[in-house]
């Protein structure tokens, strides 16, 4: 079983909504920082949102007010609810996990500190 598996991507029009899901299978002995990243064609991977192992959330500026990250620990599923999608949100979206530092924020973790990655789910927003 893969550690992380995303779903929920698709094609929507400008202003549309999508909810991404990531089922995770990680050690129950640790707390994890879970995050959504995205990678647009020709660009580097960028962080969208994260939730620390202690419950605090963080968002990129472009995600604030439009995206919400949440986690259902009973179902081992991470979500990214996205509203008011724009063509510039078109990207491959990835779920990732890192052992969480103590505290409400894990936003400061570098990309390289995320040790588990899903295969990605494509989001395409047309104008």
């Amino acid at each position: 079983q893969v550690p992380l598996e995303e779903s929920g991507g698709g094609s929507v029009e400008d202003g549309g909504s999508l909810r991404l899901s990531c089922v995770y299978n990680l050690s129950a002995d640790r707390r994890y920082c879970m995050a959504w990243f995205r990678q647009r064609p020709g660009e580097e991977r960028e962080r969208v949102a994260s939730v620390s192992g202690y419950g605090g959330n963080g968002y990129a500026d472009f995600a604030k007010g439009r995206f919400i990250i949440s986690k259902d620990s009973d179902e081992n599923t991470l979500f990214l609810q996205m509203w008011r999608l724009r063509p510039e949100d078109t990207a491959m979206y990835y779920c990732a996990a890192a052992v969480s530092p103590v505290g409400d924020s894990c936003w400061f973790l570098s990309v390289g500190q995320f040790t588990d990655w899903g295969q990605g789910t494509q989001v395409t927003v047309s104008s």
Side-chain angles (χ1 to χ4, degrees):
Q1 190 173 1
V2 296
L4 302 170
E5 187 168 8
E6 305 95 336
S7 63
S11 296
V12 297
E13 293 185 349
D14 192 354
S17 303
L18 282 173
R19 188 174 81 154
L20 307 183
S21 299
C22 171
V23 177
Y24 56 88
N25 179 28
L26 302 168
S27 170
D29 296 334
R30 293 183 168 185
R31 294 180 187 239
Y32 287 88
C33 172
M34 305 290 298
W36 288 98
F37 288 79
R38 71 183 188 184
Q39 189 164 18
R40 295 181 284 188
E43 298 188 14
E44 294 187 353
R45 197 166 294 189
E46 61 182 345
R47 195 166 337 195
V48 178
S50 67
V51 53
S52 81
Y54 297 81
N57 296 347
Y59 295 92
D61 286 345
F62 64 79
K64 291 177 181 176
R66 298 192 300 130
F67 298 177
I68 291 182
I69 188 170
S70 61
K71 185 171 67 173
D72 184 337
S73 298
D74 292 335
E75 297 294 329
N76 286 353
T77 305
L78 181 73
F79 299 101
L80 185 68
Q81 176 69 55
M82 304 185 291
W83 293 280
R84 302 199 305 275
L85 284 162
R86 306 163 181 162
E88 54 265 40
D89 294 318
T90 294
M92 186 71 79
Y93 284 72
Y94 298 91
C95 173
V99 174
S100 183
V102 175
D104 288 340
S105 175
C106 60
W107 192 256
F108 57 88
L109 293 180
S110 66
V111 175
Q113 290 178 279
F114 286 84
T115 54
D116 294 282
W117 292 84
Q119 293 299 306
T121 186
Q122 177 68 36
V123 171
T124 301
V125 185
S126 59
S127 57

